[in-house]
Amino acid sequence: MSFLEKMRAAAAQLEAAEPVDPWRLRLERVRGTTGFDGLERISTQTLMDLLEVPQRQRTAGTYRHLAALMAELGWAAVRVRDFNGRGYKEQVRGYIRGGALEQ
């Protein structure tokens, strides 16, 4: 194999390699709180805080990117009514996994 063929093969391998999303490594290690029903839950805002995304960058595109990664990792998006940090009941968005959802 000539040098030029080796260079072409190396270039082809680099093109074939998929870039790794920097969020994916962090999200693979995320564990939510497990409820009485055995399902694991975590809020979207908690995830954004863990990923250290500033408030001004929490746009629709950022949330779509997060949703795609969480779906790849086996989490399902949910909306629930729950108490926020100030004691008011409001809609909270997040993710859930475990139990019958993984089938």
Side-chain angles (χ1 to χ4, degrees):
M1 183 181 251
S2 71
F3 178 73
L4 189 55
E5 290 172 343
K6 288 180 183 178
M7 292 298 291
R8 286 185 183 139
Q13 285 180 347
L14 285 176
E15 290 177 9
E18 291 184 28
V20 177
D21 192 315
W23 285 6
R24 187 176 179 91
L25 296 174
R26 287 188 191 175
L27 292 174
E28 286 174 349
R29 295 188 307 254
V30 166
R31 300 289 175 252
T33 55
T34 305
F36 64 92
D37 53 2
L39 299 175
E40 197 174 356
R41 294 173 176 83
I42 190 162
S43 74
T44 302
Q45 295 304 317
T46 302
L47 290 171
M48 288 294 181
D49 292 341
L50 288 172
L51 295 170
E52 299 174 0
V53 178
Q55 285 291 335
R56 66 183 169 277
Q57 292 180 357
R58 296 182 185 189
T59 61
T62 305
Y63 287 109
R64 281 193 299 269
H65 181 201
L66 177 66
L69 286 173
M70 293 300 281
E72 287 177 16
L73 296 172
W75 292 82
V78 294
R79 292 184 212 162
V80 295
R81 294 198 48 89
D82 198 7
F83 290 103
N84 64 10
R86 297 180 306 267
Y88 295 104
K89 200 164 201 167
E90 67 180 9
Q91 186 178 41
V92 177
R93 293 177 184 235
Y95 297 90
I96 189 169
R97 75 172 171 187
L101 294 175
E102 292 180 351
Q103 294 179 356

